[in-house]
Amino acid sequence: MAPERHVLVVGIGAGDPEHLTFAAVHAMRRADVFFVIEKGEAKAGLTRLRRDVLDAHVPGPFRIVEADDPWRDRTRREAGAYASAVHGWRGRRADLFERLIREELAPGECGAFLVWGDPGLYDSTLGVLEEVTARGTVAFGYEVVPGVSSVSALAARHRIPLNRVGRPVHITPGRQLADRLPEFLGGESDVVVMLDTTEALPQLAERAGAALWIYWGAYLGTPDELLVAGPLPEVAARIDALRKRARAEHGWIMDTYLLRFTGRPSGTD
């Protein structure tokens, strides 16, 4: 029986090469091949950050195999259309991953996907690998190495606990924020928002009082890191301006924020 192909899904943190755990470094040093999924010229900086991580922690030898991320329709935001677009994109990603594992990873070799943050939090890699496994067209095993998420990095950079005593924390994509404003404005739980492509903050700021604080961060763990904290109605315009300027400068933005009902300042600005 031929040796099994093996795949590592390694969480590499929010952007700082020092965010890698010892487990992540040890796993990466086992890899013969690193699969890098390119997201277009606008996000070339993400590829450079991955290479910085490899240069910092993996002495080699290893190969890097690059591939273009399949096209995804981001114009439709209705619930049904959005789910259909994501399903189609994941299917195309599964086709790509299947080809990479079959053609670029020899039996007995170990390949790795380096995932921003933690692979278990708003990342498609594990779901795509499950689909490839279910197809049964190429045999491989895989394991997951957790990483420092942008949520953890955000709390650390603002020097705040993510949760409060006896209170829940709700994590949601920004796409759902505007539709669930009454629920979130009720203040029953703190809310962490990721992937806010809808830029829902201005609408939320119009309806929120000064007791709703935001702890916002972009490009966490990188030299381009941005941080803002304060009552949402007072800092929303500043955050909006920073987001627009940063997107224009870099061609992309990754930001995360925590919304918390509190009457007292806490954290950094």
Side-chain angles (χ1 to χ4, degrees):
M1 179 179 293
E4 183 182 54
R5 297 172 172 89
H6 198 69
V7 173
L8 302 168
V9 183
V10 184
I12 60 172
D16 186 341
E18 295 188 0
H19 281 175
L20 267 73
T21 65
F22 287 121
V25 172
H26 292 326
M28 289 165 55
R29 290 178 178 177
R30 291 164 50 195
D32 302 294
V33 183
F34 290 93
F35 300 117
V36 176
I37 310 303
E38 303 276 7
K39 294 182 177 291
E41 184 59 32
K43 294 187 177 181
L46 294 173
T47 300
R48 288 193 295 272
L49 285 172
R50 280 190 174 90
R51 291 183 178 275
D52 289 344
V53 166
L54 291 174
D55 289 342
H57 295 292
V58 184
F62 57 83
R63 292 187 293 121
I64 294 178
V65 176
E66 299 178 353
D68 291 332
D69 198 20
W71 174 82
R72 176 178 169 183
D73 184 1
R74 298 180 183 273
T75 61
R76 304 289 300 279
R77 301 195 182 278
E78 315 90 86
Y82 176 82
S84 176
V86 170
H87 180 75
W89 171 67
R90 283 198 173 193
R92 291 187 290 274
R93 260 202 161 195
D95 293 340
L96 172 62
F97 283 23
E98 179 184 344
R99 178 180 64 79
L100 291 175
I101 294 170
R102 183 179 60 249
E103 298 180 3
E104 300 291 348
L105 193 63
E109 285 191 325
C110 180
F113 292 91
L114 305 184
V115 174
W116 292 114
D118 183 88
L121 186 60
Y122 285 109
D123 184 83
S124 69
T125 304
L126 297 182
V128 172
L129 287 175
E130 288 178 3
E131 181 171 338
V132 176
T133 299
R135 293 177 178 182
T137 54
V138 57
F140 66 98
Y142 67 96
E143 62 187 280
V144 182
V145 181
V148 176
S149 71
S150 62
V151 178
S152 298
L154 177 77
R157 292 297 292 125
H158 281 291
R159 299 177 296 187
I160 58 172
L162 184 62
N163 68 291
R164 292 184 287 176
V165 177
R167 301 286 292 275
V169 177
H170 186 97
I171 301 177
T172 181
R175 183 178 55 84
Q176 296 185 7
L177 188 61
D179 295 337
R180 302 177 65 180
L181 281 179
E183 174 186 343
F184 294 142
L185 287 172
E188 293 301 318
S189 65
D190 296 330
V191 180
V192 174
V193 181
M194 305 177 68
L195 307 174
D196 187 6
T197 58
T198 62
E199 300 182 358
L201 276 183
Q203 182 181 356
L204 184 62
E206 290 178 0
R207 301 177 58 180
L212 181 58
W213 273 61
I214 185 170
Y215 300 89
W216 177 83
Y219 310 108
L220 290 161
T222 76
D224 300 311
E225 181 179 85
L226 299 169
L227 296 172
V228 175
L232 180 59
E234 296 180 16
V235 300
R238 179 183 172 193
I239 292 172
D240 187 53
L242 284 172
R243 287 182 103 256
K244 290 176 179 176
R245 185 165 70 240
R247 187 186 293 278
E249 179 180 350
H250 301 290
W252 60 279
I253 187 168
M254 282 188 179
D255 63 342
T256 305
Y257 53 89
L258 169 68
L259 298 172
R260 171 167 290 168
F261 281 89
T262 175
R264 295 191 300 272
S266 176
T268 63
D269 192 336

